[in-house]
Amino acid sequence: MEVAIGMGAEKMVVSPSPRCQQLWCRAIGMVSAKAVVLASKTKKVWRDDPRRVLHSMKVGLALAIVSIFYYVNPIYDGFGVSMMWAVLTAVVVMEYTVGGTLSKGTNRAFGTLLAGALGVGAHHLAVLFGHRGEPVLLVIFVFLIGAAASFSRFIPEVKARYDYGTVIFILTFSLVAVSSYRVDELLELAHQRLSTVAIGAAACICISVFVFPVWAGEELHDLCAGNLEKLATYLEGLAAEYFREKDELANVHVKGEHDDFSHAYRPVLNSKNTEETLANLARWEPPHGQFGLRHPWKHYLKLGALARRCAFHIDVLNTHTTRCEEDPHLSSTEFHEKTMRACAQMCSASGNVLRELASSMRKMTEPSNARQHLKNSGAAVESLTQQVVLGKETVLFGVLRGASMASLLVEIVACTRDIAASVEELARVASFRRVDAAAAAITHQQKAAAIKPVSGPEDPAGVCIVVK
Amino acid sequence: MEVAIGMGAEKMVVSPSPRCQQLWCRAIGMVSAKAVVLASKTKKVWRDDPRRVLHSMKVGLALAIVSIFYYVNPIYDGFGVSMMWAVLTAVVVMEYTVGGTLSKGTNRAFGTLLAGALGVGAHHLAVLFGHRGEPVLLVIFVFLIGAAASFSRFIPEVKARYDYGTVIFILTFSLVAVSSYRVDELLELAHQRLSTVAIGAAACICISVFVFPVWAGEELHDLCAGNLEKLATYLEGLAAEYFREKDELANVHVKGEHDDFSHAYRPVLNSKNTEETLANLARWEPPHGQFGLRHPWKHYLKLGALARRCAFHIDVLNTHTTRCEEDPHLSSTEFHEKTMRACAQMCSASGNVLRELASSMRKMTEPSNARQHLKNSGAAVESLTQQVVLGKETVLFGVLRGASMASLLVEIVACTRDIAASVEELARVASFRRVDAAAAAITHQQKAAAIKPVSGPEDPAGVCIVVK
């Protein structure tokens, strides 16, 4: 199979040697293209948070320090090959945040201690059963303890705080129980191992706490403040671009500007896991900076949940504004124009409230300025009531809520349509079984006939068939 | 300090002995209470997914098998103390899903191989610099490789697929580089270690694949189908309880029933991380059951994103219905009554669409039944247009969207109020600095005066001050 390669190939048959060259060139081109992509990604990771470079250097430093212990004769003579455990501990315990390192270090130390003690106990018990019974009993112990500890990792409380400790517990118990059959000086070995683990963990904790520390608590605090800022950016952007544009600039719409802020709130939608992890780690940290001993880390989770709820509403609002932009007829109604100003006010006042709250969180001062903006947003809600004169306030809100609910349901119908399209595509690409459509329809009608409709026979959409 | 304890204490001064007894009783009571709580939690974990017990037994089995290797003399004679690495590998590689075990096993094997080769190379290079230069050069190598590999863990692609491999790479390189200074038969050691790691990983992979396997791909498939079912449950519940109740039962409202379904959709809101993890692991798995070699796992992430968007809308809708239930005046308007039936139809038809899609996903058949329900939901949207006669369709939708937007903004104002209350509580419990309110207000007014208002001076809420 000899083929002409490339556009500039003049001969129909290419001799093997230049063809090889071309293949090589192509391969080198591909590799270098990948390398460029990787380099740009690395640069991005670096730029996004320069502390990541510092963290990498800290890991290198911890490893270097523990290695030096290995090379110094007096220390090595004391511990021997067990020094290896210090290196092992340093690699796995060093985490990005102080809380992470403390949690892993403590978990590792206590897991090792507990499992070591239990392992020695198991050995003494097994010895009673003679040389033949000993390994059998040890294997049974390893099976039972391994299974029980693994199961405990599924309990949410254990998973959140002691997952790593449990792994180390299983590891150490198995190692001690298994080694005890071959090693004579078990206590000596256990002692050496515990000391070296302690050395490795201590080195990591010291570097983590004293060399450019990254505190999980501070990260959590900044994350929460940053999330409020992101929501504020969206609302301010919407007030400035979307509502003003209708109000003042009529139809002069610059698409690019809308896109600048319209994705700002996105990261807030999925921040739950990060917040929970950081809150768990923050509890391991000693007091630092402005964060005292009993700083209410749990409260940040509540605040995060509220911010997320706000982000859900903003996401839905974003769908609405996008729809209105796509179809200008939708936003040229009288109702729209009547409510435009009040909407702009609610939007910008809410943005200001969130911006002020975030700023007071960053400065750790009481959010007194936010109160004024809160009054403004309340006033905007009232002015909405006045601008749309429809009678009593509750009636207006009733119409608003009713229309909103209907509109949301219309949107949910659209969502289900997208989901259905997605499942159909999945059925196509993953080649799901095809059902005989006619037969399925008949079965379906039979089912529909067999089940009493919810809201009367004249309303086929109201039939509620639960197919399990 | 002797005090009467308990209600039934007749003497003012309690002698130490019964007091000790009481303290003991209390302590035992507390411990047993905690034990009962733990036991009930364990039972719940067990009941929620009985496969967890199986997984725990599988971990125990893997450990037991690897331990048996240790006790058999011919095998032990071949590998010696290095057999320990098989135990170590078994503990950390065994994961709940097949994909997890395969990913960790492969990562561990290749990380060890690569780092071992590099470590031996580093040793040969360092030896050239003499006995004094060798440890210095080795420490520099460990620092550089450790730092570079740690940094690579921040790159999202590496983090997603090769995170564990990178940790093992750092670990093994450090161990080999450090040991090379003390150990003479380095290649022998590296070979033994690699073989034992391979034995441990192979044992885990075999047990994981052949003994009651839990496939990450299947979990992902079920999770997606389950999420659609959860959304369907909410919509069906709403159609049956909320809308019907207004329609037929007037004000006979049973609170408990609403609560049954109203939390159904909640887990869908935060399913992103789980989905991404499972999709990453599923790619490591060989074809199994109905899932072929190139099953489109990435597509599930798209479907998941659509389901989440639907869940956000439902969350907002849930807020609306809750508000309407709290204040019956809101839902007794003419508009509400007019749109009630169409809303009920949209709701139940969408629920049926989702239920059918989930069912066809579970059965892996084409979603042909869902199409009929989709038509029904489309018809419901049209009937909404007809029922509220307001002229042209676009006008109606304009009013709907406008009202919905206004209503969402009212809701966002309420959200910011909650967030402000939460930040104020945080400021109180974490004792943030208090700012002089009068001074702050003056600065605030000065700022407002200094910045040109966005929508005219008569509208103070429209002032857009960005405080950074």
Side-chain angles (χ1 to χ4, degrees), chain A residues 41-42 45 52 55-57 59-61 63-64 67 70-71 73 76 84 87-88 138-139 142-143 147 150-151 154 157 170-171 174-175 178 181-182 269-270 272-273 295-296 299 303 306 312-313 315-317 320 324 330 335-336 343 345-346 348 350 352 355-357 363-367 371 373 377 397-398 400-405 407-409 411 413 418 420 422 424-426 429-430 432-435 444 458-459 461-463 467, chain B residues 41-42 45 52 55-57 59-61 63-64 67 70-71 73 76 84 87-88 138-139 142-143 147 150-151 154 157 170-171 174-175 178 181-182 228 269-270 272-273 295-296 299 303 306 312-313 315-317 320 324 330 335-336 341 343 345-346 348 350 352 355-357 363-367 371 373-374 377 397-398 400-405 407-409 411 413 418 420 422 424-426 429-430 432-435 444 459 461 463 467:
Chain A
K41 269 182 192 159
T42 313
V45 169
R52 287 169 175 172
H55 169 72
S56 310
M57 311 259 268
V59 175
L61 186 65
L63 282 175
S67 320
Y70 204 89
Y71 297 126
N73 279 325
Y76 184 80
M84 185 188 85
V87 178
L88 221 148
L138 283 176
V139 168
V142 166
F143 175 82
S150 294
F151 186 75
F154 286 113
E157 283 79 6
I170 305 174
L171 185 90
S174 310
L175 282 185
V178 165
Y181 183 66
R182 300 278 180 186
L269 295 173
N270 293 302
K272 197 185 177 201
N273 282 40
H295 197 78
H299 191 89
L303 179 61
L306 290 174
F312 295 161
H313 279 90
D315 190 57
V316 174
L317 182 66
H320 281 277
C324 286
L330 291 182
F335 185 87
H336 238 87
C343 281
Q345 283 178 13
M346 287 193 282
S348 84
S350 297
N352 290 344
R355 179 76 62 190
E356 277 295 333
L357 290 174
K363 286 187 254 160
M364 295 193 85
T365 56
E366 285 198 348
R371 278 169 214 149
H373 291 294
S377 68
F397 274 107
L400 276 187
R401 289 223 181 270
S404 181
M405 220 177 274
S407 177
L408 279 169
L409 282 166
E411 211 50 65
V413 168
D418 291 348
S422 179
E424 293 210 350
E425 198 190 329
L426 179 68
V429 282
F432 281 9
R433 226 162 3 97
R434 187 182 293 270
V435 197
H444 188 243
E458 79 287 330
D459 172 15
V463 179
V467 183
Chain B
K41 270 182 190 159
T42 312
V45 169
R52 288 170 175 170
H55 168 72
S56 309
M57 310 260 267
V59 175
L61 186 65
L63 282 175
S67 318
Y70 203 92
Y71 297 126
N73 278 324
Y76 184 81
M84 182 188 87
V87 178
L88 220 148
L138 283 176
V139 169
V142 167
F143 175 81
S150 294
F151 187 75
F154 286 114
E157 283 80 5
I170 306 175
L171 186 89
S174 309
L175 282 185
V178 164
Y181 183 66
R182 301 276 181 188
L228 296 187
L269 296 172
N270 293 302
K272 195 185 178 200
N273 282 39
H295 196 79
H299 192 89
L303 178 62
L306 291 173
F312 294 162
H313 279 90
D315 190 55
V316 174
L317 182 67
H320 281 278
C324 286
L330 292 181
F335 184 88
H336 237 87
R341 166 150 296 181
C343 281
Q345 283 178 14
M346 288 192 282
S348 84
S350 297
N352 291 345
R355 179 77 60 192
E356 277 296 333
L357 290 174
K363 286 186 255 158
M364 292 191 87
T365 57
E366 285 199 350
R371 278 168 215 149
H373 291 294
L374 262 180
S377 68
F397 274 106
L400 274 188
R401 289 222 181 271
S404 180
M405 220 177 276
S407 175
L408 279 169
L409 281 166
E411 211 49 67
V413 167
D418 291 349
S422 178
E424 293 210 353
E425 197 190 331
L426 179 67
V429 282
F432 282 10
R433 227 163 0 100
R434 185 183 294 270
V435 198
H444 188 245
D459 172 17
V463 179
V467 183

Side-chain angles (χ1 to χ4, degrees), chain A residues 93-131:
Chain A
V93 161
M94 196 75 190
E95 287 279 317
Y96 184 57
T97 58
V98 176
T101 311
L102 278 172
S103 138
K104 274 206 161 177
T106 321
N107 263 308
R108 178 150 202 136
F110 279 92
T112 307
L113 187 66
L114 201 65
L118 209 63
V120 171
H123 165 68
H124 283 296
L125 195 66
V127 163
L128 299 179
F129 288 77
H131 191 68

Side-chain angles (χ1 to χ4, degrees), chain A residues 169-188:
Chain A
F169 176 83
I170 305 174
L171 185 90
T172 310
F173 179 80
S174 310
L175 282 185
V176 171
V178 165
S179 313
S180 68
Y181 183 66
R182 300 278 180 186
V183 179
D184 294 326
E185 290 158 350
L186 193 64
L187 271 179
E188 172 87 357

Side-chain angles (χ1 to χ4, degrees), chain B residues 255-327:
Chain B
K255 187 79 187 165
E257 286 183 30
H258 180 65
D259 291 342
D260 275 350
F261 65 87
S262 69
H263 293 294
Y265 68 95
R266 286 279 163 93
V268 188
L269 296 172
N270 293 302
S271 59
K272 195 185 178 200
N273 282 39
T274 318
E275 281 168 14
E276 279 178 356
T277 311
L278 286 176
N280 263 328
L281 296 182
R283 279 192 267 167
W284 290 92
E285 289 174 352
H288 55 277
Q290 298 184 284
F291 304 97
L293 188 62
R294 287 175 174 278
H295 196 79
W297 298 120
K298 272 195 175 177
H299 192 89
Y300 288 83
L301 298 183
K302 286 187 217 163
L303 178 62
L306 291 173
R308 247 188 325 281
R309 243 193 73 213
C310 190
F312 294 162
H313 279 90
I314 287 182
D315 190 55
V316 174
L317 182 67
N318 193 38
T319 316
H320 281 278
T321 53
T322 315
R323 290 283 146 88
C324 286
E325 272 175 8
E326 283 165 7
D327 185 353

